[in-house]
Amino acid sequence: MKNRIRMSRSRKAFLWVFGLPTFLIYSFVCVVPLFSSLRDSFTEWMGIAGTSKTWIGLSNYAELFRDPVFYTALKNDLVISFFKLILITSLALVFAVSLTRIKLTRPERAIYRYFLYLPTVLPIVVITIVWKFVFEQSGLYNTLMLKLDGRKVGDVVNMSSHIANHPVAVITFVAIWCGIGYSMIVLITAINNVSNELYEAAYLDGAGQLGQFFYVTLPSIMGQVRYIMVYIVSSTLASNMNLVLPMTNGQPGNASTVMGLYVYKYGLTADNGVSRVGYANAAAVVLMLISFILCYSLNRLINRGEEKKL
Amino acid sequence: MKIKRLLSLLLVSALLLTVVGCRKTFTFDSNRDVVVTQNVYVEDTPATSSTASATSSNAGGQTSSTASSEKSDSTPAAPVKKQAEKKLSGKLSVQIFINENGVGEAAWTEILDEFEKANPDLALTTYIGTNVNSQLANTWLSGQNTPDLVLIDGKGLSETSLCASGSFLDLTDWYRNATVYGQNKRICDVVTTAALERYNGKLYKMPLMLNCYGLWYDQNLYRQQGIQIHRNFSEMLSNATAQKSAGTSALTYPGMYSNYLVWGTVMPAVAAYGQGFFDEISAGKNPKIYQDERLRSVLENLHSLGAAGYVSASATQDHLGAQSDWLNHRAALVSSGIWLEAEMKKSIPGVFDMRFTTAGLNLSGQKPGAVLMGVGVAISSHSKNAENAKTLVRYLYREDSLKKLALSYGYMTAAKQKLPVSAYKGSAKQIMQYLQGKDVNIVYKTRDWGNLGETFNSVANRIAQGKLSAADGCKELATAAGKNK
């Protein structure tokens, strides 16, 4: 016989009072725009009040899948997401373990944490300006190379711009640099919650630092690792544009464009001819679907791994 | 337990109040100063009317339009009698974009101040500043509470979209009969007719000033390097060789915003072939025109510069990066507009002798072209104070208003009667001398190429870096023009 939890009337009222406004706000801010975006993706519309919204069926999607820039944007998004996923997760894990398991004095630990977390709190525009100063043709990197080669600084005009030549690589590097801090803090918190008794038991069983990491630390914080992996994938597709826009604006020749920027340029920028909000919505819907599929697949993959272990 | 309930109720109330509060903040009220960035001119200004104050039943500019709408711009109409101006009442709101360095702000403030003094019963609200376009973007998108009059300038305000959506008032008929405020002149007799840019045959923007893109150089650097500024492509190429050996690139540009490159180098060379060819290229509709030999030769010249390594690696640079390269003499020429000196006033080294040219990719023996683009105002089609806005437009066409604006921006005035070169200061003097001289082929931008602009920018950027051939660039442009709606 099932035990039913009977809720008191006051508890029900309490849940209604708290749940309903949140649900309404969520619906208004997220669900309604989602459906209106889906509806608008089947129209030709400029996005300005008073202009006609013409139903054109799947034409926007057909045009989208014929556009080579769309595939470039998609490829760049996937490349950035993949490297962010692998490198942020592994580096954040290494840093988190180092800062918690290696014997450091408190000031040392604080300094390391501060410097590793700093990029997370810096405004994105500052980050892009700083790294542009490093990787542009006359930037710090080329200047240092010239000095190491013993050549004149004036020779910089004969050198190439690393951002222009390898825009996606530079963007990925910067994205990883500023993404490690948050994941590291999440993992540090998780590691600090692992009971010392487990480490002592592992030590008595003869496990070294590496053994303790694989048999105690990693299994204990797998929930948080899973969280940051899903977080990286879900946030990357939406946030890539924040870096790309001030860093390269998708240049040269759309080589560094990403889906967010693609949507933005068609739907929201006011400076590129007539805005096409219907078309931008079609691209946004595709981006949303890809984001959902990736997050869902990743979650399933990790969960399956966990189930097998059990 | 009671305390918990009380706390819960307080939290819920706070949540609801926040929601209610947010709703109020999002509602845009044109008379509130929520989005007013700098100066607000509101009612109750001391009534000291300085200009024509006699009462009249005619508000001026609204003279009879019988049959006149059919006349061409240049057809002389019946003589217009001098009209006294009726004092305005009611409201008027104005949106003025000003760049980060405040170029033009003083002139706008002065003109609007005078206009307000002339109309003491008018409640004038001015939204002026660097972010004003983005702050008021929602009003234009929703068509609600739009400012009555807007200066079409700066990022965040799509002239093309707003024209296409009918957000601006059609001034085609009005401007032919409207008179300059307090003066016995019609606007169509004052303004340079060729500079009127039309969208689908309709006139939405009234040009006040004329802007121009080209190449800036430091005359002192050229003196030091013992070379003369080029007049055509072959001279530019030979200069570039000498400059490269001296550790200077020939050209830099902001690749992130390659429209600077397009309008500073490619389009002046297109303009060198005359207004007709320039119009076809800038219309963005006919795919065949982008395969034309003339355009291909212009793009081949650009490619030659890039492939030889004479252009800075600017493909992803922003305008500050490009200007910094130029100021540090890492590049001899920077592609930009004639506003550059006013924009960079504080950063220009004293040793710089800033000069401007539109020559570059044009052939030997061919006059370089220069494209003049109107910078002007439009009236919102949603405006409830359109008559007041029209009167302000008429006020802006007064000789003194046009002069103040042109001198403040360093632009050429859109009036037929150009200001004397001596009226300008700094490098603007050289620019006006150059643009009003005989050695340049002036064309006016009268069309909008809509969504082709993005492709053109991208193509030019890659060609300048030697990564795309001119022939492939032309093909890409032709394909994009075919799709351009």
Side-chain angles (χ1 to χ4, degrees):
Chain A
M1 198 177 150
K2 285 180 183 175
N3 283 329
R4 281 194 172 178
I5 301 166
R6 290 180 71 92
M7 274 196 278
S8 65
R9 192 176 287 177
S10 62
R11 184 161 177 78
K12 275 184 187 169
F14 174 82
L15 287 177
W16 272 108
V17 166
F18 269 90
L20 194 64
T22 315
F23 175 74
L24 289 176
I25 291 169
Y26 177 77
S27 304
F28 185 70
V29 175
C30 293
V31 182
V32 174
L34 198 77
F35 282 100
S36 76
S37 177
L38 186 65
R39 183 199 60 206
D40 291 344
S41 71
F42 299 109
T43 64
E44 184 67 62
W45 184 42
M46 283 173 58
I48 299 176
T51 52
S52 61
K53 202 186 266 188
T54 317
W55 182 267
I56 53 166
L58 291 167
S59 300
N60 282 334
Y61 290 94
E63 189 182 339
L64 187 70
F65 292 123
R66 280 199 305 267
D67 186 0
V69 181
F70 164 72
Y71 291 103
T72 309
L74 198 59
K75 187 192 82 188
N76 289 342
D77 262 331
L78 294 177
V79 166
I80 296 170
S81 300
F82 176 76
F83 283 105
K84 271 183 82 176
L85 178 69
I86 303 294
L87 292 172
I88 289 183
T89 312
S90 50
L91 288 173
L93 201 58
V94 169
F95 288 135
V97 171
S98 308
L99 288 174
T100 47
R101 302 299 303 159
I102 294 174
K103 280 184 182 170
L104 295 168
T105 61
R106 277 181 80 123
E108 278 172 341
R109 197 166 289 171
I111 287 169
Y112 286 130
R113 278 187 194 189
Y114 175 77
F115 279 107
L116 287 167
Y117 193 69
L118 185 66
T120 311
V121 292
L122 285 177
I124 208 87
V125 176
V126 174
I127 289 169
T128 55
I129 289 172
V130 167
W131 286 108
K132 278 179 83 121
F133 275 131
V134 175
F135 288 122
E136 279 291 8
Q137 184 186 29
S138 52
L140 189 67
Y141 182 83
N142 278 352
T143 313
L144 277 175
M145 289 297 113
L146 283 175
K147 288 208 168 166
L148 287 174
D149 271 5
R151 289 156 67 190
K152 286 184 296 177
V153 177
D155 284 352
V156 81
V157 294
N158 297 316
M159 296 184 84
S160 60
S161 156
H162 300 283
I163 302 186
N165 285 354
H166 312 289
V168 179
V170 171
I171 288 162
T172 309
F173 168 77
V174 177
I176 291 168
W177 180 77
C178 57
I180 290 174
Y182 173 74
S183 303
M184 183 194 73
I185 290 292
V186 171
L187 294 179
I188 284 175
T189 316
I191 294 171
N192 283 338
N193 283 334
V194 179
S195 167
N196 264 334
E197 287 164 5
L198 290 175
Y199 287 109
E200 281 165 16
Y203 176 72
L204 289 174
D205 284 346
Q209 282 291 345
L210 210 59
Q212 287 175 32
F213 170 73
F214 281 112
Y215 294 112
V216 180
T217 311
L218 202 54
S220 306
I221 62 168
M222 209 50 211
Q224 283 77 7
V225 172
R226 192 165 58 213
Y227 160 72
I228 60 167
M229 288 175 90
V230 174
Y231 170 77
I232 289 166
V233 171
S234 61
S235 63
T236 298
L237 290 179
S239 65
N240 274 346
M241 191 197 88
N242 299 344
L243 262 183
V244 174
L245 184 66
M247 206 146 187
T248 65
N249 195 21
Q251 295 295 325
N254 293 315
S256 62
T257 198
V258 288
M259 282 297 288
L261 189 66
Y262 188 83
V263 172
Y264 175 75
K265 282 196 171 176
Y266 273 102
L268 297 171
T269 31
D271 306 311
N272 303 305
V274 179
S275 53
R276 295 183 64 197
V277 173
Y279 185 73
N281 271 312
V285 167
V286 171
L287 177 63
M288 189 191 70
L289 282 175
I290 291 168
S291 185
F292 175 77
I293 291 167
L294 279 179
C295 290
Y296 181 76
S297 313
L298 187 67
N299 215 10
R300 282 292 299 266
L301 203 71
I302 297 168
N303 280 340
R304 196 178 292 171
E306 286 290 290
E307 281 160 15
K308 272 186 186 170
K309 272 186 193 173
L310 289 172
Chain B
M1 195 65 190
K2 274 186 181 175
I3 293 172
K4 275 187 183 174
R5 280 185 186 170
L6 194 69
L7 200 64
S8 308
L9 276 172
L10 274 172
L11 282 169
V12 171
S13 325
L15 186 70
L16 290 173
L17 283 172
T18 312
V19 173
V20 174
C22 284
R23 193 198 140 269
K24 279 193 175 172
T25 312
F26 290 137
T27 307
F28 177 78
D29 181 344
S30 63
N31 288 325
R32 289 180 59 187
D33 58 359
V34 175
V35 291
V36 178
T37 48
Q38 293 180 17
N39 305 323
V40 186
Y41 300 86
V42 222
E43 54 206 352
D44 301 327
T45 312
T48 48
S49 174
S50 58
T51 50
S53 57
T55 53
S56 165
S57 58
N58 193 331
Q62 305 310 305
T63 48
S64 162
S65 61
T66 47
S68 59
S69 62
E70 299 302 313
K71 290 174 187 169
S72 74
D73 297 337
S74 55
T75 311
V80 180
K81 287 181 184 174
K82 189 170 182 177
Q83 294 156 345
E85 296 293 340
K86 180 185 165 186
K87 285 190 180 179
L88 301 179
S89 59
K91 292 178 180 177
L92 178 64
S93 53
V94 184
Q95 174 181 339
I96 310 286
F97 166 84
I98 299 290
N99 73 11
E100 290 87 348
N101 295 288
V103 177
E105 187 174 1
W108 278 108
T109 308
E110 201 180 330
I111 292 166
L112 292 172
D113 221 3
E114 286 167 5
F115 183 69
E116 197 179 22
K117 279 179 186 166
N119 297 284
D121 296 330
L122 181 73
L124 179 63
T125 309
T126 308
Y127 304 101
I128 188 166
T130 309
N131 300 317
V132 72
N133 287 348
S134 51
Q135 285 170 331
L136 294 175
N138 272 342
T139 68
W140 290 103
L141 290 177
S142 65
Q144 287 173 355
N145 297 315
T146 56
D148 301 307
L149 184 126
V150 57
L151 172 71
I152 301 178
D153 194 16
K155 273 186 88 72
L157 188 86
S158 169
E159 183 180 353
T160 317
S161 287
L162 294 173
C163 285
S165 64
S167 302
F168 294 146
L169 203 65
D170 178 7
L171 300 172
T172 319
D173 293 334
W174 173 81
Y175 110 96
R176 291 194 180 111
N177 301 302
T179 55
V180 177
Y181 187 92
Q183 292 175 12
N184 186 20
K185 287 178 196 167
R186 290 185 311 165
I187 290 176
C188 63
D189 295 327
V190 171
V191 72
T192 306
T193 318
L196 296 172
E197 196 173 339
R198 288 167 200 272
Y199 190 90
N200 286 339
K202 290 178 179 172
L203 180 70
Y204 295 108
K205 179 174 76 179
M206 293 302 298
L208 302 168
M209 298 166 275
L210 297 171
N211 183 16
C212 182
Y213 280 84
L215 297 170
W216 283 91
Y217 61 99
D218 172 20
Q219 177 69 12
N220 286 335
L221 177 71
Y222 276 74
R223 270 194 215 112
Q224 278 169 29
Q225 293 176 337
I227 47 178
Q228 295 268 320
I229 187 68
H230 60 270
R231 285 166 300 177
N232 51 51
F233 180 66
S234 60
E235 288 180 8
M236 188 184 190
L237 203 59
S238 86
N239 281 356
T241 317
Q243 283 161 338
K244 180 97 189 249
S245 59
T248 309
S249 296
L251 171 70
T252 187
Y253 64 93
M256 270 176 78
Y257 314 110
S258 339
N259 56 312
Y260 283 75
L261 175 71
V262 171
W263 289 99
T265 60
V266 178
M267 294 314 275
V270 168
Y273 288 101
Q275 183 80 49
F277 183 59
F278 172 79
D279 278 347
E280 280 195 84
I281 292 288
S282 61
K285 300 285 182 197
N286 175 12
K288 279 183 189 166
I289 199 72
Y290 298 99
Q291 302 271 22
D292 191 284
E293 195 50 47
R294 289 168 288 181
L295 178 66
R296 192 176 304 172
S297 82
V298 170
L299 294 179
E300 267 164 9
N301 288 348
L302 184 63
H303 184 263
S304 311
L305 276 180
Y310 296 143
V311 181
S312 290
S314 325
T316 51
Q317 255 182 346
D318 58 17
H319 62 295
L320 294 177
Q323 287 163 17
S324 161
D325 269 356
W326 180 67
L327 288 175
N328 287 298
H329 284 169
R330 286 192 289 262
L333 300 157
V334 65
S335 180
S336 191
I338 57 176
W339 66 79
L340 191 68
E341 191 189 29
E343 185 185 87
M344 299 193 342
K345 226 168 214 170
K346 292 170 194 163
S347 333
I348 301 166
V351 291
F352 257 59
D353 182 4
M354 282 180 79
R355 303 287 176 98
F356 179 85
T357 182
T358 56
L361 304 179
N362 54 302
L363 305 173
S364 306
Q366 190 184 34
K367 270 189 197 177
V371 184
L372 298 185
M373 313 165 160
V375 177
V377 289
I379 296 173
S380 167
S381 60
H382 308 285
S383 169
K384 289 170 188 161
N385 310 300
E387 293 310 314
N388 287 349
K390 283 176 182 172
T391 309
L392 177 56
V393 175
R394 294 173 46 238
Y395 192 87
L396 293 171
Y397 274 97
R398 284 164 58 104
E399 207 177 306
D400 55 337
S401 302
L402 289 174
K403 186 179 171 184
K404 275 174 198 158
L405 287 171
L407 295 180
S408 175
Y409 280 85
Y411 288 173
M412 189 184 272
T413 171
K416 282 174 187 160
Q417 185 65 45
K418 300 298 175 211
L419 293 173
V421 171
S422 58
Y424 288 90
K425 286 177 187 165
S427 57
K429 203 173 266 191
Q430 180 263 328
I431 294 168
M432 294 307 140
Q433 210 153 22
Y434 175 77
L435 293 176
Q436 291 174 37
K438 290 176 181 171
D439 297 330
V440 66
N441 191 17
I442 294 287
V443 304
Y444 293 91
K445 182 179 175 286
T446 57
R447 318 259 173 108
D448 188 299
W449 55 19
N451 295 359
L452 186 76
E454 189 72 22
T455 312
F456 214 121
N457 296 345
S458 161
V459 163
N461 194 11
R462 282 174 290 154
I463 290 177
Q465 294 296 316
K467 289 179 177 170
L468 184 75
S469 71
D472 288 343
C474 287
K475 268 184 211 160
E476 214 172 295
L477 288 172
T479 311
K483 290 180 192 167
N484 197 16
K485 293 175 182 173

